[in-house]
């Protein structure tokens, strides 16, 4: 039994630092630079009051972390979840730095989170929480400084409240302060689908590289939210058969195929994918171990660990989620010949179209969805080719290949700027 198996829960920040250390070692990174890049630049914790519908005042805790600003302003989503921790947000911020560098967009990495189960709030409470949280973190935020976006449990409506709150304080409308907004407020066409679309672009490339015909391929998706449900729809559009999906309540499986649109309609009606007609209910553990060609984790961190990596049957793992695989599991999957498309590449479509949204906002411009998707494809295809080339050159897995590219780019920018003062 490994230490990981006895020492749960796994700390995402330690995972992120280990992944960085591996790349820094291989790149023979200068020790000073290594110390700088190994820590976040800024960590803000806020405790803030919200009026609840019953007349009480409740105090919530939230975070905004900026990992590195060497290549541009901080960029990264805000997550609402009852289990959010500062360490989780630090890990997610560091991953954003590498992700922006992998796809070559001019941002550093940031992330935010609030410890809350938003499903337990009324719409009014959710708005109050969102506006007050954004005010509290606004000391760090701005269209040239730090630009948040949606993540787990945060929506275009919440982005609209963030934008409005910031704009009220400024005295004029500032659409570029947040991305993932509704289209009517300067949101980009294609942003809602961007994470999943980018993920599927990388799956198409991986399948071509491995000689897998996606038209006869089977797919399992963990997490049926923004990233997961749209990834399932887009994989079905590629001709693949979606055989299993899950959400926080559990999963469903039908080896003859599930209709992703009907599953989404079922989930909207019943609040869960489970009970879907014609499918068997399964656990999330069973979902991950489902025989399939492509497994898309699209929920949370630390889902594929040393515990279950031997039982993963997929030929491709496409990480729509951030941090779903631990370093131990990475090694096991690599040894077993499973092709990993790492998060910092696989789900970079979201931040890429966020970047497009920001560019459109700053220029008071609006691109068509066709234009957005075409530009996204160019960036994702190029990043995939660069990561594959790096992994082949050094004989390492795709994650390390992606890290080598990303860390080198961030290190170069940071070193060129020099140490102030
Ligand atoms: P979301 O809130 O829309 O969906 C999350 C889904 O995961 C929900 O269906 C939820 O029921 C499910 N879930 C929760 N716990 C689960 C569990 N234990 N097992 C299985 N499913 C579970 O969030 P999202 O925006 O789709 O984000 C999902 C992942 O994708 C996160 O890791 C996020 O960081 C990453 N991501 C999102 C974006 C984006 O643009 N939204 C961009 C990049 C990466």
């Amino acid at each position: 039994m490994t230490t990981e198996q006895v020492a749960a829960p796994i700390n995402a920040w330690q995972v992120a630092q280990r992944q960085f250390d591996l790349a820094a070692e291989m790149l023979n990174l200068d020790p000073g630079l290594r110390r700088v890049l190994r820590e976040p630049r800024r960590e803000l914790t806020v405790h803030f009051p919200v009026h609840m519908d019953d007349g009480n005042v409740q105090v919530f805790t939230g975070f905004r972390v900026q990992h590195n600003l060497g290549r541009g302003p901080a960029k990264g989503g805000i997550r609402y979840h009852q289990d959010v921790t500062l360490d989780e947000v630090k890990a997610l911020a560091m991953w954003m730095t590498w992700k922006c560098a992998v796809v070559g967009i001019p941002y550093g990495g940031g992330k935010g989170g609030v410890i809350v189960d938003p499903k337990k709030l009324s719409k009014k409470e959710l708005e109050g929480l969102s506006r007050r949280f954004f005010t509290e973190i606004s000391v760090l935020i701005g269209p040239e400084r730090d630009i948040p976006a949606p993540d787990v449990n945060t929506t275009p409506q919440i982005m609209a409240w963030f934008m409005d709150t910031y704009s009220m304080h400024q005295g004029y409308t500032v659409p570029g302060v947040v991305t993932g907004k509704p289209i009517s407020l300067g949101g980009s066409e294609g942003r809602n689908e961007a994470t999943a679309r980018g993920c599927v672009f990388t799956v198409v490339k991986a399948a071509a590289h491995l000689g897998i015909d996606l038209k006869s391929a089977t797919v399992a998706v963990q997490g049926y939210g923004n990233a997961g449900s749209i990834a399932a729809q887009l994989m079905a559009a590629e001709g693949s058969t979606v055989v299993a999906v899950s959400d926080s309540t559990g999963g469903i499986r039908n080896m003859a195929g599930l209709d992703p649109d009907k599953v989404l309609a079922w989930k909207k009606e019943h609040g869960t994918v489970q009970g879907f007609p014609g499918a068997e209910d399964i656990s999330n553990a069973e979902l991950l171990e489902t025989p399939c060609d492509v497994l898309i984790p699209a929920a949370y961190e630390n889902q594929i660990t040393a515990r279950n990596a031997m039982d993963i049957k997929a030929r491709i793992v496409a990480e729509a989620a951030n941090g779903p695989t631990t370093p131990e599991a990475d090694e096991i999957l690599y040894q077993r010949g499973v092709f990993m498309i790492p998060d910092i590449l696989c789900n970079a479509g979201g931040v890429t179209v966020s970047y497009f949204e920001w560019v459109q906002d700053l220029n008071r411009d609006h691109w068509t969805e066709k234009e957005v998707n075409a530009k996204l494809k160019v960036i994702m295809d190029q990043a995939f080719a660069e990561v594959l080339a790096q992994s082949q050159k050094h004989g390492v897995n795709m994650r390390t290949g992606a890290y080598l590219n990303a860390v080198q780019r961030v290190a170069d920018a940071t070193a060129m700027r020099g140490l102030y003062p």
Side-chain angles (χ1 to χ4, degrees), residues 71 98-105 202 205 209 339 342 344-345 348 377-409:
R71 299 179 61 261
W98 312 138
K99 193 180 299 181
C100 294
V102 164
V103 287
I105 55 177
T202 65
K205 286 287 168 195
H209 169 67
F339 190 88
I344 58 171
L345 170 65
K377 182 162 165 45
V378 170
I379 288 181
M380 294 304 296
D381 285 357
Q382 183 178 334
F384 183 92
E386 288 170 353
V387 169
L388 182 62
Q390 190 71 283
S391 79
Q392 287 174 330
K393 182 173 159 200
H394 293 276
V396 292
N397 64 19
M398 288 282 283
R399 187 178 322 276
T400 307
Y403 267 76
L404 291 176
N405 282 349
V407 174
Q408 187 68 65
R409 287 171 189 171

Side-chain angles (χ1 to χ4, degrees), residues 79 99 111 150-153 191 195 222-228 246-248 267 284 298-300 303 320-322 347 350:
R79 169 176 295 197
K99 193 180 299 181
K111 204 82 182 191
D151 193 71
V152 173
N153 287 330
R191 172 61 185 90
T195 303
Q222 184 198 38
Y224 216 61
N226 173 277
S246 70
D247 61 22
S248 56
K267 181 173 164 64
N284 258 299
Y300 285 112
Q303 299 300 304
N322 285 304
N347 69 40

Side-chain angles (χ1 to χ4, degrees), residues 288-343:
L288 293 171
E289 295 163 16
T290 294
C292 61
D293 298 299
V294 184
L295 172 64
I296 305 182
Y300 285 112
E301 296 89 47
N302 304 327
Q303 299 300 304
I304 306 176
T305 68
R307 249 181 245 263
N308 61 0
M310 286 303 289
D311 302 316
I312 303 293
K313 304 193 179 59
R315 297 163 74 190
I316 297 173
V317 174
E319 293 185 327
N322 285 304
T325 312
T326 65
E328 288 78 7
D330 254 342
E331 190 51 35
I332 295 169
L333 294 178
Y334 186 56
Q335 295 305 333
R336 293 185 51 228
V338 178
F339 190 88
M340 167 65 69
I341 314 175
D343 47 8

